[in-house]
Amino acid sequence: MTGASGLTVLRPGMLASVQDLGRPGHRQLGICPGGALDTLALTLANRLAGNPDGAAGLELTMGGCEIRFEVPTRIALAGDDFGATLDGVPLWPCWSLPVAAGQVLKLAGANRSALKAGLRSWLAVAGGIDVPVILGSRSTDLKAGFGGHHGRALKKGDKLALGTTALDAQQLARRPFGVRSPDPGRGSDGATVLRVMPGPEFEQFTIASREALWGGSWRLTPQSNRMGSRLEGFELKRRRAVDMLSSGVIPGTIQVPPAGQPIILMGDAQTTGGYPRIGVVIRADLWKLAQAPLNGRLRLQQVDSAQALAAWDERRRYLSQVAQGLASAGWIAPAQNPPQGESDAD
């Protein structure tokens, strides 16, 4: 079905875009890795839809969207629960289910009731979203205006093609099934706990600021976006103000501007920066930040490199368990290309 219109965007919600696992390896050109802010959620959704991990899907922000499927296919959602329904029937996160032509997927808006707060979810469709590959990725670079669907966020009336799926007719029509969602890592107070390693300029900050980084509670402000998550809390101060040369930054880097309120860089952030780097959120926890609700509370927990590597191993074990469970249930395991943005070397 490559090239055919596979789905139509009836309502995009606050922000919807085509994303895969990212576009690594181009920082020297000033091109950010981008991709899904929660690669774990997109990977899960793709596996449940019978896709390779790196297939392109849709990143949906704060719900409020409607999508009509124009062909019979199979879909899976992962990430936050926005009260999704398919023709009025509830659709749960981390579930795989068949879709008939003409059916409409709806996600409730951000002010939905009786549902947990959240920020983003990811939709995978069998065959993946078929848009051009640019610099090795189908992801939308919203800042630079390329990739994805015409280099922009999705709009009402947009039609997206689907790639060729490896699923046969019997697998496409298989009854719904699901897997266990990953643990969001929230503390007893409901705050999202992010594990953080001290950054290169950590020692430049006052003792009170360093203690507040770990001991304080931070609010995720509505000024956050795909470039950075802006926090509000204790004013972080350096012992003395000194100019800094711009240096490389990566997703997860915690920069502290002169106002003292930290910014955690996300997938669409710049590749260099001149603000002091007090810490970096470990890679295994970035997905938790991508789903953390606006105005929600965050707590930062100090870890070392050994603990960071152990956390990444834990993530791998979870995905391995998912793969084993799907295989034992007779679900297809597509041939995997090296997943973009997920290699240890990146």
Side-chain angles (χ1 to χ4, degrees):
M1 68 183 71
T2 302
S5 176
L7 61 85
T8 301
V9 178
L10 303 181
R11 291 175 57 207
M14 178 170 288
L15 177 64
S17 61
V18 177
Q19 301 292 345
D20 58 18
L21 294 182
R23 187 175 282 113
H26 305 288
R27 295 178 189 276
Q28 75 278 13
L29 303 175
I31 298 174
C32 64
L37 294 185
D38 182 347
T39 57
L40 180 58
L42 181 59
T43 296
L44 287 172
N46 270 326
R47 292 187 181 186
L48 288 164
N51 294 335
D53 292 352
L58 300 185
E59 182 172 284
L60 309 171
T61 304
M62 299 188 75
C65 62
E66 295 183 18
I67 296 169
R68 183 177 66 232
F69 299 95
E70 309 297 353
V71 294
T73 186
R74 194 169 188 96
I75 66 172
L77 275 170
D80 281 311
D81 184 355
F82 285 93
T85 60
L86 185 67
D87 281 359
V89 178
L91 190 167
W92 309 112
C94 290
W95 275 75
S96 169
L97 72 162
V99 174
Q103 287 194 293
V104 175
L105 171 70
K106 294 184 180 181
L107 273 67
N111 59 352
R112 64 206 186 280
S113 61
L115 294 171
K116 75 179 184 68
L119 190 55
R120 299 179 178 94
S121 60
W122 288 262
L123 172 68
V125 186
I129 305 299
D130 186 18
V131 294
V133 176
I134 300 177
L135 296 177
S137 172
R138 289 183 166 87
S139 285
T140 311
D141 189 321
L142 295 168
K143 181 174 59 175
F146 71 89
H149 185 67
H150 304 308
R152 59 167 171 78
L154 298 178
K155 299 178 180 179
K156 179 180 179 180
D158 280 343
K159 296 181 181 297
L160 299 176
L162 302 180
T164 301
T165 178
L167 300 177
D168 59 26
Q170 183 177 3
Q171 290 164 328
L172 280 173
R174 181 172 174 167
R175 67 182 184 180
F177 63 89
V179 298
R180 174 178 58 86
S181 298
D183 181 359
R186 292 193 172 93
S188 57
D189 58 355
T192 299
V193 179
L194 302 176
R195 289 166 288 189
V196 175
M197 293 178 60
E201 287 76 51
F202 179 77
E203 296 295 336
Q204 292 185 12
F205 287 83
T206 65
I207 293 176
S209 294
R210 282 179 269 164
E211 291 178 345
L213 184 70
W214 312 126
S217 177
W218 302 92
R219 183 176 71 92
L220 182 63
T221 74
Q223 287 70 45
S224 303
N225 54 33
R226 280 187 51 89
M227 292 183 64
S229 295
R230 294 178 175 268
L231 311 188
E232 181 181 81
F234 186 89
E235 182 181 350
L236 303 177
K237 298 179 180 179
R238 286 194 287 171
R239 290 177 292 176
R240 60 189 181 91
V242 293
D243 291 334
M244 288 182 53
L245 296 175
S246 291
S247 53
V249 292
I250 59 173
T253 298
I254 306 176
Q255 291 188 312
V256 183
Q261 299 301 297
I263 302 171
I264 305 178
L265 301 186
M266 304 295 280
D268 280 0
Q270 71 279 10
T271 57
T272 62
Y275 294 140
R277 299 159 294 178
I278 195 172
V280 58
V281 177
I282 67 172
R283 193 175 176 194
D285 279 5
L286 283 176
W287 72 272
K288 301 176 185 178
L289 180 59
Q291 292 189 32
L294 296 180
N295 291 314
R297 309 304 298 184
L298 304 176
R299 285 195 288 110
L300 307 181
Q301 175 185 330
Q302 184 177 2
V303 296
D304 57 24
S305 59
Q307 291 169 309
L309 289 171
W312 189 251
D313 286 341
E314 181 182 359
R315 170 189 165 119
R316 287 188 171 193
R317 284 193 297 273
Y318 167 74
L319 285 174
S320 177
Q321 291 169 356
V322 168
Q324 291 172 8
L326 292 176
S328 65
W331 188 237
I332 186 172
Q336 296 287 343
N337 295 320
Q340 305 233 25
E342 289 290 290
S343 70
D344 289 332
D346 181 39

